[in-house]
Amino acid sequence: MEAIKGLFNLVADPRLFFLLSVVALVLIVWKREAFAKLSVGYGLMGFLTAFFLFGLFDENFVLIIAKPDNVPIVALIFLVVFFTWYSMREAVLNDQRVAAGEDVIEKQESDRVWVWPDLVYTELIALVLCSAVLVVWSIALEAPIEQPANPANTPNPSKAPWYFLGLQEMLVYFDPWLAGVVLPSLIIVGLMAIPYIDTNPKGNGYYTFNERKAEITIFLFGFVILWSSLIVLGTFLRGPNWNFFGPFEYWDVHKLEALNNVQLSEYLWVRGAGTALPDNILVREGVGILLSLAYVTVLPVLLAKTVLKRYYEKMGPTRFYVGAFLFLMMLSLPIKMFSRWLVNLKYVVSIPEWFFNI
Amino acid sequence: MAKAKSIQPQAGALERAWNWLTETQIWTSVFRHDAPLNDRNRVLVMLSNVFLHLHPVRLKKHGVRLRYTWCMGGLSFFLFLVLTFTGVLLMFYYRPTLEYAYSDIVGLREHVPLGIMREMHRWGAHAMVITVWLHMFRVFMTGSYKPPREFNWNVGVIMLVLTLLLSFTGYLLPWDQLAIWAITVGSNMARATPFLGYEGPGASLLAIGDVQLIHAADDARFALLGGTFVGEGALLRFYVLHCVALPLVIGFLMAVHFWRVRKDGGISGPL
Ligand code: HEM
């Protein structure tokens, strides 16, 4: 019992958690034929159910899971896992049909049917089921109401609504101007840009993986790993002072975590060159600034000339550079994560004088 | 117009009652055709009913399959309707002022026996956030954002943002600890907006001589909260956004969205 809990607490550590989710995604994409099996789907759902049932016997676990506002996130975990599996399965099945020289299922089913009754009844049933779930849920679980608002009494932890907890989790690695303003805006811009950047004419209107490998992998990485799993992390595994707590751990307000993060400038000047930090801000942060600029200007050009040359030629300069910029901004989060975990790097550029930290 | 049915004397009472009912002027004024049991009436029902006419008359078979659409777009719309309905009921009881907001919510539980409208509204809102995400996920996985549906994907992204904003503005209204601190954490971000937030990079550059143009009482966060902290101004602002402005905008965009689904050739499918 305790050993299993210990294991889960260990695995839930943000570093392992993130690493394992990336490994899982790689496996899903790479071994998709195996992943698409029915038994895997049942297995996943069974495992999740067993995990939550097991957790119900642990008071710390129940304390977090049973918070009324956290219940939807339990549902979210099941739904995201299920639909990831389901859509990959549909894609793999279609790919197998194509490989066998058949049409995709959507093509096979392209004869027309009457909306009444074929569609309206499906809609009616969906609507009735949805209402039933909502009514039962509402009767079973009261909406929370806590103490009246008191600006003088800050709860610890203070959390944003759950759908923004992925962004709040980014605050660990980025300053608010990036985590709270620039990156969210870029997520929106990035989503809106997808149809204009992705010019692959295939895979329009049916499930497929083989015809859209890169697109689907990137999207799954963004939606399932960066967005959904960070929400789960932020909701269930972040306690007082935004410290990490395993799912079976008590949220101890006094838990201390060593903060020994170091700025890049300190690495270079103090530890590297053995001098004091220069007074001139631009000299002090020069390397970091150049690195950051190079990341968004030089790196895309290099990519276009080397590994991604094929894409550059297919997409043309505008699409390629806009796409590469957005993609690199997305990757900046895992890069920041790993540099924090591996070398305790705090900021690449640190100019608190101007509220400018990267 | 429905054709008069011959009333067979030997038919059962139920059938005779039904035939009588469907021939009254009231009935025929509402329903302009017989039950959609034959092809002609299946066309007419779609064309003459304002709610059903969002649909085409006929549809490719894969498009009605749950396995293709997961019905997530439809459920998002349905949940939006549920939220509108329950929200209106809540507005009967709720006053957005520091004095009343909290006690009105508590009173809701005490004065409305067996009431679950607040629950329906809150859980429905959470559910809608999830269904909209899954809808987007489905649309991506079937590649349905590709031409000619690029624009509708964009309308969708904006509605996704609006859904989150609706949820966020509603979160403040109970005016309890959960509410104001969640909104405080969320809105503190605006303080760091480049140039427009007073703790954002570049804001200090916007100055005329010694006078700072951007400070705590005029920056992006102030505009959001109507104050320098989450107080009375924020409550009123969020209330108006939540109950009037955002629902109107998203409702309008839904109309555009559904129209475009039809105009882009109906549910996507292989060409
Ligand atoms: C407020 C939320 C939304 C509502 C009520 C809504 C509703 C719908 C409905 C009812 C459909 C018909 C097909 C289906 O049910 O899947 C649809 C299709 C579509 N939606 Fe949405 N939607 C919403 C948000 C979004 C979002 C966030 C996106 C994308 C980012 C999006 C993009 C699309 C596209 C591209 C189609 C056409 C799909 C096809 O033809 O296969 N929608 N939407």
Side-chain angles (χ1 to χ4, degrees):
Chain A
M1 255 332 206
E2 290 310 310
I4 300 180
K5 288 184 189 174
L7 183 69
F8 277 120
N9 284 342
L10 193 75
V11 172
D13 177 278
R15 288 165 277 195
L16 259 183
F17 181 80
F18 189 78
L19 207 64
L20 287 178
S21 0
V22 174
V23 171
L25 179 66
V26 172
L27 281 179
I28 288 175
V29 167
W30 183 32
K31 296 283 175 205
R32 54 187 177 279
E33 307 248 329
F35 178 71
K37 291 213 169 77
L38 268 183
S39 53
V40 174
Y42 285 125
L44 282 171
M45 290 295 112
F47 170 76
L48 282 179
T49 315
F51 174 73
F52 280 99
L53 287 179
F54 172 76
L56 288 183
F57 293 99
D58 183 276
E59 53 178 329
N60 293 316
F61 189 84
V62 171
L63 227 50
I64 317 170
I65 294 294
K67 261 205 198 125
D69 273 339
N70 286 353
V71 169
I73 299 144
V74 179
L76 180 76
I77 297 180
F78 279 87
L79 289 168
V80 166
V81 170
F82 174 77
F83 279 114
T84 306
W85 171 77
Y86 189 75
S87 52
M88 280 306 278
R89 176 179 162 79
E90 290 293 333
V92 166
L93 290 181
N94 265 347
D95 289 342
Q96 286 168 347
R97 285 186 191 104
V98 171
E102 293 171 39
D103 278 332
V104 295
I105 186 81
E106 288 83 357
K107 187 102 185 174
Q108 293 176 19
E109 295 189 337
S110 58
D111 42 331
R112 294 184 181 261
V113 295
W114 292 103
V115 165
W116 186 300
D118 290 51
L119 180 57
V120 283
Y121 276 77
T122 314
E123 285 178 345
L124 184 71
I125 294 167
L127 202 139
V128 169
L129 283 182
C130 176
S131 317
V133 169
L134 195 58
V135 168
V136 170
W137 183 4
S138 300
I139 292 173
L141 197 67
E142 280 200 343
I145 181 93
E146 296 192 351
Q147 297 298 309
N150 179 358
N153 178 6
T154 315
N156 185 7
S158 287
K159 291 194 178 185
W162 62 268
Y163 34 83
F164 288 149
L165 287 185
L167 302 179
Q168 200 173 348
E169 176 65 19
M170 289 208 298
L171 281 175
V172 176
Y173 308 98
F174 284 112
D175 256 22
W177 74 277
L178 279 171
V181 185
V182 173
L183 292 176
S185 313
L186 285 179
I187 296 176
I188 300 171
V189 172
L191 281 173
M192 294 177 70
I194 287 177
Y196 305 101
I197 292 175
D198 171 14
T199 49
N200 175 5
K202 291 201 203 124
N204 183 347
Y206 52 95
Y207 291 96
T208 170
F209 186 85
N210 284 348
E211 296 171 22
R212 305 170 58 205
K213 288 183 180 145
E215 306 152 65
I216 293 188
T217 311
I218 295 173
F219 189 82
L220 285 180
F221 180 70
F223 179 69
V224 179
I225 304 217
L226 290 186
W227 187 254
S228 307
S229 72
L230 285 192
I231 286 178
V232 173
L233 177 65
T235 314
F236 292 148
L237 305 175
R238 290 293 184 179
N241 308 323
W242 210 253
N243 278 332
F244 163 77
F245 292 87
F248 302 106
E249 227 176 301
Y250 170 66
W251 279 17
D252 182 0
V253 189
H254 302 293
K255 175 168 177 172
L256 283 183
E257 261 180 26
L259 287 176
N260 43 13
N261 295 327
V262 184
Q263 322 284 13
L264 181 66
S265 48
E266 198 180 325
Y267 263 124
L268 295 174
W269 294 104
V270 182
R271 302 200 185 177
T275 54
L277 287 175
D279 287 334
N280 186 318
I281 293 178
L282 291 178
V283 177
R284 187 184 77 200
E285 304 297 335
V287 176
I289 294 176
L290 286 181
L291 266 181
S292 311
L293 280 178
Y295 181 69
V296 288
T297 54
V298 181
L299 188 57
V301 179
L302 281 182
L303 290 174
K305 297 234 146 77
T306 56
V307 270
L308 299 183
K309 191 162 181 188
R310 201 161 50 91
Y311 286 93
Y312 179 77
E313 279 160 7
K314 215 163 44 182
M315 296 163 71
T318 314
R319 287 203 174 86
F320 181 84
Y321 286 121
V322 174
F325 172 74
L326 291 167
F327 181 65
L328 288 175
M329 291 313 276
M330 176 163 121
L331 277 194
S332 67
L333 177 61
I335 290 177
K336 254 335 258 292
M337 288 174 152
F338 280 105
S339 51
R340 180 71 61 84
W341 297 333
L342 295 178
V343 294
N344 287 322
L345 181 73
K346 189 164 165 66
Y347 291 124
V348 181
V349 178
S350 164
I351 314 181
E353 296 89 333
W354 302 343
F355 300 111
F356 188 79
N357 300 313
I358 298 179
Chain B
M1 260 313 235
K3 291 259 161 55
K5 303 174 192 81
S6 51
I7 297 176
Q8 309 241 332
Q10 64 269 53
L14 216 59
E15 190 174 331
R16 270 183 289 151
W18 173 254
N19 285 348
W20 170 82
L21 177 72
T22 52
E23 277 172 21
T24 57
Q25 191 183 355
I26 297 180
W27 182 279
T28 53
S29 71
V30 180
F31 302 102
R32 290 281 158 96
H33 53 80
D34 278 338
L37 298 177
N38 59 27
D39 289 356
R40 179 174 176 274
N41 288 331
R42 284 181 182 139
V43 176
L44 287 177
V45 69
M46 287 300 150
L47 298 186
S48 62
N49 183 310
V50 66
F51 305 106
L52 291 178
H53 98 285
L54 287 173
H55 300 94
V57 174
R58 280 163 21 114
L59 193 66
K60 288 199 181 136
K61 193 158 153 201
H62 78 268
V64 306
R65 290 263 199 252
L66 272 183
R67 55 163 288 278
Y68 189 71
T69 63
W70 311 348
C71 205
M72 281 301 161
L75 284 183
S76 307
F77 181 50
F78 175 62
L79 284 168
F80 178 74
L81 296 180
V82 170
L83 290 168
T84 310
F85 178 73
T86 53
V88 168
L89 292 183
L90 291 177
M91 284 173 79
F92 291 157
Y93 289 91
Y94 175 86
R95 289 162 288 181
T97 61
L98 294 195
E99 198 180 352
Y100 294 121
Y102 180 78
S103 56
D104 283 349
I105 296 287
V106 175
L108 206 58
R109 184 161 294 159
E110 282 164 12
H111 303 313
V112 187
L114 302 180
I116 54 165
M117 284 309 127
R118 184 167 170 243
E119 279 71 18
M120 296 267 287
H121 198 73
R122 194 176 185 100
W123 305 144
H126 286 337
M128 181 171 164
V129 171
I130 295 178
T131 57
V132 174
W133 283 351
L134 292 177
H135 173 57
M136 177 179 81
F137 189 26
R138 183 298 277 182
V139 171
F140 186 88
M141 293 306 271
T142 56
S144 305
Y145 57 84
K146 300 189 176 201
R149 298 186 178 77
E150 310 98 307
F151 176 74
N152 221 12
W153 167 270
N154 276 270
V155 175
V157 173
I158 297 175
M159 289 200 295
L160 170 71
V161 175
L162 288 174
T163 307
L164 294 178
L165 287 180
L166 269 166
S167 217
F168 185 67
T169 48
Y171 214 80
L172 181 66
L173 303 183
W175 205 248
D176 61 346
Q177 282 287 76
L178 201 60
I180 68 155
W181 288 103
I183 304 307
T184 304
V185 170
S187 60
N188 273 348
M189 298 297 121
R191 203 154 56 185
T193 315
F195 298 106
L196 297 179
Y198 84 103
E199 283 181 4
S204 53
L205 300 178
L206 299 181
I208 300 176
D210 279 347
V211 185
Q212 282 295 326
L213 291 184
I214 302 292
H215 48 79
D218 73 350
D219 69 343
R221 182 166 179 273
F222 189 90
L224 185 67
L225 295 182
T228 52
F229 57 92
V230 179
E232 186 143 36
L235 182 57
L236 185 60
R237 242 163 236 223
F238 276 44
Y239 176 77
V240 173
L241 285 174
H242 184 78
C243 300
V244 185
L246 295 174
L248 279 180
V249 177
I250 202 173
F252 172 75
L253 287 179
M254 279 181 192
V256 175
H257 196 62
F258 301 154
W259 173 258
R260 281 302 287 241
V261 172
R262 294 288 306 278
K263 293 293 144 181
D264 293 340
I267 286 295
S268 56
L271 303 169

